[in-house]
Amino acid sequence: MALVVQKYGGTSMGSIERIRNVAKRVAKTYDAGNDMVVVVSAMSGETNKLVALANELSEFPDAREYDVLVAAGEQVSIALLAMCLKSMGYKAKSYLGFQIPIMTDSSYSKARIEEIPDNKVRADIKEGTIIIVAGFQGVDASGSITTLGRGGSDTSAVAMAAALKADVCEIFTDVDGVYTTDPNICKDAKKIERISYEEMLELASLGAKVLQIRSVEFAMKYNVDVHVRSSFNENLGTMVTKEDKEMEAVLVSGIAYAKDEVKIAVMQVPDRPGIAAKILSPLSEANISVDMIVQNVSEDGLTDFTFTVPQADFKKALSITKETAEAVDAKEVLCDENVTKVSIVGLGMRSHAGVATKMFTALAAEGINIQMISTSEIKISVVVDAKYTELAVRVLHDAFGLSK
């Protein structure tokens, strides 16, 4: 007998018919002799409706009450799935995040899981109960509802698997695995059978929508094998696991892109020690993540300081940066919302030379100008004009032979 944690996303839970389909899948795994914990998202579109209501009321909704609002969608889906399983003759029980409890910090909308006591869930499992857990949500030390950010149900599932020492965590979604790039952009994209935590972490952080980044962090930290597969067929998907020598032999594993970034440039900043910290510290204090950073070569004691932030934080980031720019005597603040970050990822980059040259040459051949560059041991990211997104992805996919 194995302990299996399964997660079903909003598309999989998008209608009563699809909830019945999920219930049948859960029942099939349970009937095979497995203990079951199921983590689900809100029905597709429900969270967006709640976010729209909040934004109608306020440009900057109160953070605590915002989380109370957007966590509501999962309460509906866990109850419906539990009802469905009970109507089929199974013992099932739903849990909201605070009932387990999934303990988090107090960073509303971006909360991090700190602890999950397992006694309640284990006691129910011993009674043969299928546990249904609301993804995406938790509770802080003061008892306030918190949420984990978009895609947070993935993190909820992997964290539950880690807390319960599950044998596997299956992430069911509307795609049947992790692909070399977005199949909607590149028809030649191939499904990857096995990928390392490190590569998946990079792909998730760079725009691949299959798994939330923090879910991969949890999986890597606690050695949880994550099987990404489709809820609409029985195909095997992609196993996210420890790296091995076969993975290292592949130069580039995948191409990711992120359209949800904005470029902010602080122009003609005095070039002296501490200026970068003065510009970035207020953003950090506002819990805004800064991604790529470029500082130009100083000219006449002045420089330009450019960085990217998530689209969701753009208004707040721009407002903060304008205040800071005035305080440090910068000339002006410019922004560009029409940019995309395109990235290549692969363990093979550690031991192969010429990868950056190959990437830049392929983009140049199509007249695609590179605005910013960022690298790590296993990835290279560039910022390009948004209109070149699909072309850049296809060109790089071909250049590194990922369709073969």
Side-chain angles (χ1 to χ4, degrees):
M1 180 181 287
L3 173 54
V4 178
V5 174
Q6 293 185 340
K7 177 262 176 177
Y8 293 90
T11 306
S12 304
M13 299 288 292
S15 65
I16 293 299
E17 183 181 348
R18 288 185 175 182
I19 290 172
R20 287 196 179 106
N21 179 58
V22 167
K24 289 175 184 175
R25 282 181 168 273
V26 171
K28 183 178 179 181
T29 306
Y30 179 83
D31 289 341
N34 300 297
D35 292 329
M36 292 290 300
V37 174
V38 185
V39 177
V40 297
S41 301
M43 298 171 73
S44 58
E46 290 304 307
T47 303
N48 287 340
K49 289 178 186 176
L50 297 171
V51 170
L53 289 173
N55 290 334
E56 269 190 61
L57 283 171
S58 172
E59 186 177 4
F60 300 111
D62 178 82
R64 181 187 182 278
E65 305 310 328
Y66 180 89
D67 274 15
V68 173
L69 175 68
V70 298
E74 279 70 20
Q75 183 164 343
V76 174
S77 55
I78 61 171
L80 289 173
L81 181 56
M83 287 177 190
C84 189
L85 284 163
K86 287 180 177 180
S87 72
M88 295 164 61
Y90 294 89
K91 289 178 70 175
K93 186 175 182 179
S94 66
Y95 277 108
L96 291 164
F98 77 88
Q99 293 175 309
I100 288 179
I102 297 174
M103 300 301 303
T104 75
D105 63 17
S106 300
S107 299
Y108 299 114
S109 299
K110 300 174 184 177
R112 288 185 171 273
I113 296 172
E114 295 179 338
E115 182 185 10
I116 304 179
D118 63 356
N119 53 311
K120 282 186 185 178
V121 173
R122 286 195 183 279
D124 286 333
I125 288 173
K126 283 183 180 178
E127 297 295 321
T129 305
I130 298 171
I131 308 301
I132 316 296
V133 178
F136 175 62
Q137 60 178 247
V139 61
D140 69 8
S142 72
S144 296
I145 300 298
T146 58
T147 63
L148 311 180
R150 285 290 186 173
S153 294
D154 290 347
T155 303
S156 301
V158 176
M160 288 297 300
L164 295 166
K165 297 180 172 57
D167 295 278
V168 69
C169 179
E170 297 183 324
I171 304 289
F172 286 91
T173 180
D174 53 356
V175 297
D176 57 355
V178 180
Y179 279 73
T180 48
T181 195
D182 184 350
N184 295 315
I185 286 182
C186 187
K187 293 180 180 179
D188 294 332
K190 301 293 184 183
K191 184 167 67 179
I192 304 168
E193 292 184 6
R194 289 168 60 84
I195 191 169
S196 71
Y197 294 127
E198 197 172 354
E199 288 173 305
M200 193 67 241
L201 196 60
E202 289 284 13
L203 287 171
S205 69
L206 297 168
K209 299 292 192 296
V210 180
L211 286 174
Q212 192 204 42
I213 181 170
R214 276 183 281 171
S215 69
V216 187
E217 289 174 346
F218 254 101
M220 184 162 63
K221 183 176 180 179
Y222 295 102
N223 287 322
V224 177
D225 285 339
V226 178
H227 189 188
V228 183
R229 53 193 306 199
S230 172
S231 59
F232 302 116
N233 60 50
E234 298 294 333
N235 299 340
L236 292 177
T238 299
M239 187 64 75
V240 185
T241 186
K242 296 177 186 176
E243 70 176 76
D244 56 38
K245 290 184 178 180
E246 283 186 20
M247 295 175 185
E248 292 177 358
V250 179
L251 182 60
V252 172
S253 299
I255 315 290
Y257 66 95
K259 291 183 175 181
D260 58 348
E261 295 209 8
V262 178
K263 186 173 72 170
I264 297 176
V266 187
M267 310 302 291
Q268 295 188 27
V269 181
D271 189 14
R272 59 175 182 261
I275 287 292
K278 284 184 179 179
I279 293 172
L280 298 180
S281 292
L283 297 171
S284 176
E285 289 165 8
N287 205 21
I288 296 172
S289 297
V290 172
D291 184 14
M292 301 174 76
I293 302 170
V294 170
Q295 182 170 322
N296 292 352
V297 175
S298 178
E299 188 174 324
D300 298 326
L302 299 173
T303 186
D304 298 334
F305 188 86
T306 307
F307 56 91
T308 61
V309 297
Q311 178 76 50
D313 294 324
F314 169 52
K315 287 183 181 179
K316 187 186 290 186
L318 184 60
S319 175
I320 291 170
T321 304
K322 283 183 176 179
E323 286 184 22
T324 307
E326 190 173 336
V328 299
D329 296 322
K331 181 182 178 183
E332 61 181 333
V333 176
L334 303 178
C335 61
D336 186 355
E337 297 182 68
N338 296 310
V339 296
T340 298
K341 179 172 65 176
V342 180
S343 310
I344 60 173
V345 174
L347 291 177
M349 290 189 202
R350 291 173 179 162
S351 53
H352 291 77
V355 180
T357 301
K358 192 171 188 177
M359 180 183 192
F360 301 157
T361 301
L363 293 173
E366 296 294 333
I368 301 173
N369 186 49
I370 297 170
Q371 300 177 24
M372 302 174 77
I373 302 169
S374 174
T375 66
S376 76
E377 192 178 26
I378 65 166
K379 76 104 195 283
I380 303 172
S381 297
V382 296
V383 169
V384 301
D385 194 302
K387 68 182 179 182
Y388 293 120
T389 303
E390 295 188 8
L391 177 61
V393 169
R394 285 194 291 266
V395 163
L396 293 174
H397 197 267
D398 287 344
F400 289 98
L402 295 182
S403 59
K404 296 177 182 177

